[in-house]
Each structure stands twice: as C-alpha cells, then as structure tokens.
Amino acid sequence: MSELTLTVMRLGFLAVLWLFVIVAVQVIRSDLFGTRVTQRGSRREAARPQQAARQQAAPPQQRAQQGGGGRRGRNAPTKLVVSEGTLTGTTVALQGQTITLGRAHDSTIVLDDDYASSRHARIYPDRDGQWIVEDLGSTNGTYLDRSRLTTPTPIPLGAPIRIGKTVIELRK
Amino acid sequence: MSSTSNTPTHHTSTIGAIGAPSRRNTELALLIFAVAIPVFAYANVGLALNDAVPAGLLGYGLGLGLLAGIAHLVVRKFAPYADPLLLPLATLLNGLGLVAIWRLDQSRLLQSIGVAGGKATNQLIYTAMGIGLFVAVLFFLKDHRTLQRYTYISMAASLVLLLLPLVPGLGADVYGAKIWISVGSFTIQPGEFAKIVLAIFFAGYLMVKRDALALASRRFMGLYLPRGRDLGPILVVWAISILILVFETDLGTSLLFFGMFVIMLYVATERTSWIVFGLLMSAAGAVGVASFEPHIQVRVQAWLDPMHEYVLSRTPGVTGVHSDQLQQALWAFGSGGTLGTGWGQGHSELIRFAANSDFILATFGEELGLAGIMAILLVYGLIVERGVRTALAARDPFGKLLAIGLSGAFALQVFVVAGGVMGLIPLTGMTMPFLAYGGSSVIANWALIGILIRISDTARRPAPTPAANPDAEMTQVVRPS
C-alpha cells in the first residue's frame, strides 16, 4: 500500500470520527433549542384535525359550551410558570386541560416539597374559560396572594399561588 | 386554541411543555454512521498491515451492524422516546474497540505471549451477550422505579459481588489485583456488575435519607457542616472502600465505589461540603493504605517514575515486580503525536501484557494521535452528558439519582483508566468501557446503557393524558358561579 493512500486514509478516518462527534453534538443542540417550541406548535397542528372531527361529532349542547369557552378575552393566560421553588422556570402551556399539583408521581407538576401533599391542588378552566385554583384538602394549604384558599377561586393574571416553597403564576 | 379548551374532551389534550419527539430515525441514521466508522477502520487496518481488505470485513461489519440493528429495533419497540444518542455512541466505541483488538490480534509478539489471537471474535461474542442483556433490560424493566423496591437487596448483592474475589478458591489473583473470580475456564470481574447494583442501592437509600442529610447542618466558613451522626453512611461506605483497597489491592474499584457515593450524595443533598469531605477522606485513605500495602506502593512507584521502572525491568539481576508497561504506553502516546501513525502502523504491542485490555487507549493514542484520542474522549463525554441530561429530565427523584449514579460511575471509570494509562494517576486494574477486551466490562456496560435508555424513555415520554376525574365534573356542576 502506498504511503500516500495510507496518509489519506489516516486523515480521512480522523475526519470521519470528528464528523460523527459533530453530528452528535448537532443532535444535542436541536434537542436543547429546537424541540420545545416547534414540537408544541406542530403537535397542536396535528391535534387540530382530530379535535375538529370530534367537534363535528359532539352533541349540540356540548358545542354550546364550547361557544362559551371560545369567548375568552385577550387577557386569557396561555401558560403557567413556576416562579419560585425547586421547579423554578418550568412552564406548562394552558390548553384547557386540568393541571394537578402535588407530590404524587402522576401529577402534572410533581412538587418535590416537604410541605406539599401528594394531591395538593388543581388548576382548571371553568365554563367561561376562567382559570380556577382549588385546594384538594391539603395539609398545609394553598395560598393565593396572602389568603389561604377555602373554595375554588378564580386566578387573576400574575397572582402568585403558593404551595409550600413553590410559587406558580399564570401568564399571558 | 381557545376553541379547543373547555370542551368535555379537554382531558384528551396533552401538555406541550414536557416531552420531545421520539427521534428514533435520528438514532437510526447515527447508528448507521456508527457502524460504518469501525468498518472503515477495519478495512484501513487490513490495507496497512497486509495490503488487502481483510477477509473478515463482511463478517465483523455484518455482525456489528446486526447487533446494532437488533438493539435499535428493541429500543423502537420498548423505549420509543429514549435518548437518540446513547445507543449510537456506545455502538461506535464498541466497534472501535473491536477493530483495535483485531489489529492487536495481528501482532506476532502478542500472539507469542498468548495475549492476542482470536480475541476479536471473542469480543464480538461478548458484545452479542452485552446486547442480549441490553435487550433483556429493556424487555423486563418496564419502569425503572420497580428497581426502587430492591434497594436493600441491591445492597446485599453488591456486597456479595464486591467480596466474591476474596473467597478462597474462587478469587483469582491477576498480577497482584484480586478483582477477578474464575468459574471454570471463565474469569469474571464482579466489580463491573457491582457498580450498577450499587447505583440502585445508593439511589434508593439517598432518596429516602437525603432530607436528613441536607437540612440538618451548621454553616462554617462557607461550608455546611453536617451533624456528626449524619456522617455515618459516608463513613461506612468509606470504610468498605478502604477494605476493598486493602484486601483486593485495587485502587480503581475502591475509587469508583467511593466516588460514585460522593457524587450521588452531592446531587441528592446539594451540599458542596460532601465533595470536600469525600476528597479529603479518599486522599487520606489512599495515602494511608499506600504506606503499608506493597502492591499499591509498586503502582505508585511506577506512576512517579515510569522510566526508572523501565530500566529496572531491563536490568538483569533485579528482583521484584517491575513493569515497563506504563513507559511503553507513554512512548506509544508520544510516537502518535497529533495525527497519529495511522491504523496498523504503530507499535503498541510493545506494551505486551494487557495491551488490548487495560492499555488499549495507548493503541488509539499511537495510531489515531491526539486528534483521535480527543474524539474518543468526547464520545465518552457525550455518553456521560446524555446520562446527566436524562437525570435532569427525569421526573422522579429515584430515576434522577440512578441516572446520575450510573453516568457518574461511567465517567469515573473512564477517568481512572485514561488517567492511569496516561500517567496522571497511579495505574489501576479497570478497563476502558466498551473499548477494552473483556467480557464482564462489555456486558455490564451494555446493561448500564440499557438502564439509562429506560430512564430517558420515561423522562422524555410526553406526559400521559390525565384520566377523566369524575370529581372534577361534579365540582363544576356544584360550584356556584
């Protein structure tokens, strides 16, 4: 085998090895920056036809309820943000689903907090699209601003909801 | 979006914030790449050594490709949301290891001392067994949290595994380090499996105890000092690791074992003081044991002055164990330079014993040069990074700790071996994960990757649709508006 061929192969191999590393890093990069936003958008797009089909099939009275829900104003919150506590920075998009908070593993937001009960509270939209927080009989209570919740209460935009050391709020 | 909210069907919508696409196709593409690189290397070795493409190219290439393909299909079936990088990275390292072992098999010198010859075929069989265990992990371990139930069984199992080499008649003394057991014609390194079982125990234990270890402490000079009685667990683990060092005379296992505990303790409690304590204790222990244990002293001597050892090993009439291995390895790295000599054109066979296991990194250093070694270390780094990333994404504390423990142990092992071969720390008897020749290492590390893939699948899986809650419906009806 000629010296030249071997040199070319040697350098070629190193180039291929590094190319692999670079490709792998690119995959990580897209994992870090790409997925969240595009994914959330694309999944919603994908979900739409199904939702539409389901709406077609829904009985009339349900559709009336939807009409009520569709009238939400411009001040409707679009996401729930954890602003204090170990989960700081976590956001959950509000898409009409009930959000459960607690230490139980199947909660939407699993609180890692000694002061939280396993099923501590839930946040859900009422018929008018107003988001409501309800304490689920927790030991240490759920606080909206400074007051402890006793009944399901509508959440004003940006008002802090405190559970143990965790503070969450709804944002646009 | 508002049109989709507030319908009775809203329970079926999922949360967009957590979760990622499955990325299985990315994994497949990378996997093909990861199999192609070793095939290229294999052809290169053959061309350099014998001026011909080796006859076994198709066999090894298809073998590796088939194993990788099986692993990929199993991941696709049982862990569809798993991390796309772990499998290709491990496959690449395993494949490169196969090529280097095959390349050393061709050396007449190594064949004459029985270190090489047919080892690549064995390694391919070990790889198949490793992939088999990987498949079994993914198949039987549907949820990593079931491992939590076996916390204390794991403790007992890991102690047994660590103590097995000391059992008379079972343990084998291989060049001073007693970390092997021989069953029939096989030798097994139980420490490799112990690291996985131990990670399970530490994760289960620390998950329960971490609050006590983290909260009760005094602040002193910027460090949180734990209470005396909370030092108990770290002292016990330290004592056991010292016992391993004394009786098995293996610095690697001892360091791996203690280091993994300190890493997991730090992650569980978020207290830097544990790292300070851990470093002080391991340094004190190592120095203390080295002062009276002759085998460790030999290793430290060889580390401090490899050239002196080399000269002694060549001087007739000098008694005692003197090995020129480390000096030969350093020369191998040196002669490789920046870009290496090219596959098959180095002389790393001069390392002789353990050239294809503990010292395999020297072959890469010589034939691929600094550029190649850096790429390989980066691949290791990426595996660890994906493990840590999995831990960050995991939603349950046990999974977090287990993923950190496994990737921490992996990182420590790479550090201990690479550091030993490059002369940064005294040499130990551990093997480079995936690259080095050895059944235990390959099989155990594939199981480790399997567990990481399982945790990452759980962590990256989109949140399940919340079950329709009958209470919720009732509340909505009853609530006065």
Side-chain angles (χ1 to χ4, degrees), chain B residues 134-191:
Chain B
F134 172 87
V135 168
V137 165
L138 288 184
F139 183 76
F140 290 108
L141 188 68
K142 287 281 187 273
D143 184 353
H144 61 269
R145 277 172 292 193
T146 48
L147 292 175
Q148 206 176 328
R149 291 181 211 150
Y150 305 110
T151 299
Y152 289 94
I153 295 179
S154 301
M155 180 190 71
S158 58
L159 278 181
V160 168
L161 283 173
L162 284 172
L163 295 179
L164 267 183
L166 298 178
V167 177
L170 197 61
D173 186 335
V174 180
Y175 290 82
K178 304 182 196 75
I179 52 171
W180 297 82
I181 57 170
S182 50
V183 183
S185 59
F186 290 99
T187 49
I188 303 169
Q189 206 172 355

Side-chain angles (χ1 to χ4, degrees), chain A residues 1 10 31 66 91 94 108, chain B residues 1 15 17 51 340 386 460:
Chain A
M1 201 53 25
R10 177 175 64 137
D31 223 35
Q66 271 164 33
T91 61
L94 298 174
T108 316
Chain B
M1 194 183 87
I15 299 151
D51 280 359
R386 291 329 279 168
R460 293 163 61 100

Side-chain angles (χ1 to χ4, degrees), chain B residues 88-376:
Chain B
L89 292 172
T91 308
L92 175 72
L93 289 175
N94 202 332
L96 287 179
L98 276 168
V99 173
I101 291 164
W102 186 80
R103 178 253 173 277
L104 290 170
D105 274 352
Q106 311 306 307
S107 146
R108 292 221 180 75
L109 178 66
L110 290 182
Q111 280 169 9
S112 68
I113 57 170
V115 170
K119 302 287 188 194
T121 318
N122 288 352
Q123 180 78 350
L124 193 60
I125 294 169
Y126 295 143
T127 305
M129 287 159 73
I131 297 276
L133 193 58
F134 172 87
V135 168
V137 165
L138 288 184
F139 183 76
F140 290 108
L141 188 68
K142 287 281 187 273
D143 184 353
H144 61 269
R145 277 172 292 193
T146 48
L147 292 175
Q148 206 176 328
R149 291 181 211 150
Y150 305 110
T151 299
Y152 289 94
I153 295 179
S154 301
M155 180 190 71
S158 58
L159 278 181
V160 168
L161 283 173
L162 284 172
L163 295 179
L164 267 183
L166 298 178
V167 177
L170 197 61
D173 186 335
V174 180
Y175 290 82
K178 304 182 196 75
I179 52 171
W180 297 82
I181 57 170
S182 50
V183 183
S185 59
F186 290 99
T187 49
I188 303 169
Q189 206 172 355
E192 291 281 350
F193 297 94
K195 84 181 170 205
I196 296 176
V197 185
L198 266 177
I200 296 171
F201 164 60
F202 288 157
Y205 171 78
L206 288 174
M207 198 192 89
V208 180
K209 294 286 155 80
R210 63 177 171 156
D211 287 344
L213 294 173
L215 293 176
S217 54
R218 285 177 290 122
R219 217 181 142 83
F220 174 72
M221 282 175 63
L223 280 180
Y224 286 97
L225 292 184
R227 290 179 305 184
R229 58 184 149 164
D230 292 333
L231 284 170
I234 196 173
L235 283 176
V236 170
V237 175
W238 180 74
I240 293 176
S241 74
I242 292 296
L243 287 179
I244 295 170
L245 191 57
V246 172
F247 290 106
E248 299 185 6
T249 60
D250 185 53
L251 185 65
T253 314
S254 171
L255 206 64
L256 182 73
F257 178 43
F258 186 63
M260 185 167 80
F261 183 72
V262 172
I263 289 173
M264 292 175 77
L265 197 57
Y266 169 63
V267 171
T269 61
E270 300 174 34
R271 289 275 184 267
T272 326
S273 52
W274 290 120
I275 293 199
V276 176
F277 275 116
L279 286 176
L280 288 178
M281 285 165 82
S282 56
V287 170
V289 173
S291 65
F292 65 88
E293 186 65 48
H295 177 75
I296 308 277
Q297 280 167 355
V298 169
R299 290 279 168 108
V300 172
Q301 273 307 316
W303 164 59
L304 288 176
D305 193 354
M307 192 63 201
H308 185 62
E309 288 293 303
Y310 176 80
V311 172
L312 284 181
S313 75
R314 297 294 154 104
T315 315
V318 175
T319 53
V321 193
H322 294 288
S323 166
D324 61 345
Q325 278 177 318
L326 186 57
Q327 187 58 45
Q328 293 283 10
L330 292 178
W331 275 330
F333 280 114
S335 76
T338 313
L339 294 175
T341 58
W343 276 109
Q345 290 160 286
H347 295 283
S348 53
E349 69 267 15
L350 291 172
I351 297 168
R352 292 162 164 267
F353 173 72
N356 62 2
S357 53
D358 295 13
F359 281 92
I360 196 148
L361 207 60
T363 302
F364 285 97
E366 180 163 18
E367 306 197 343
L368 302 182
L370 182 70
I373 281 284
M374 283 299 156
I376 286 168

Side-chain angles (χ1 to χ4, degrees), chain A residues 1 6 10 13 18 28 30-31 43 54 66 69 72 91-92 94-97 108 112 114 122 125-126 129, chain B residues 1 5-7 10 12 14-15 17 23 41 51 85 210-211 340 342-343 345 371 378 386 460 472 475 479:
Chain A
M1 201 53 25
L6 286 177
R10 177 175 64 137
F13 182 79
W18 274 98
I28 294 178
S30 67
D31 223 35
R43 189 188 298 158
R54 226 179 277 136
Q66 271 164 33
R72 279 197 292 157
T91 61
V92 176
L94 298 174
Q95 292 174 356
Q97 80 282 26
T108 316
D112 177 26
D114 286 340
R122 65 192 174 106
D126 74 357
Chain B
M1 194 183 87
S5 57
N6 302 326
T7 66
H10 68 247
T12 56
T14 52
I15 299 151
R23 323 242 18 209
D51 280 359
L85 279 173
R210 63 177 171 156
D211 287 344
W343 276 109
Q345 290 160 286
L378 261 180
R386 291 329 279 168
R460 293 163 61 100
T475 320
R479 188 184 63 81

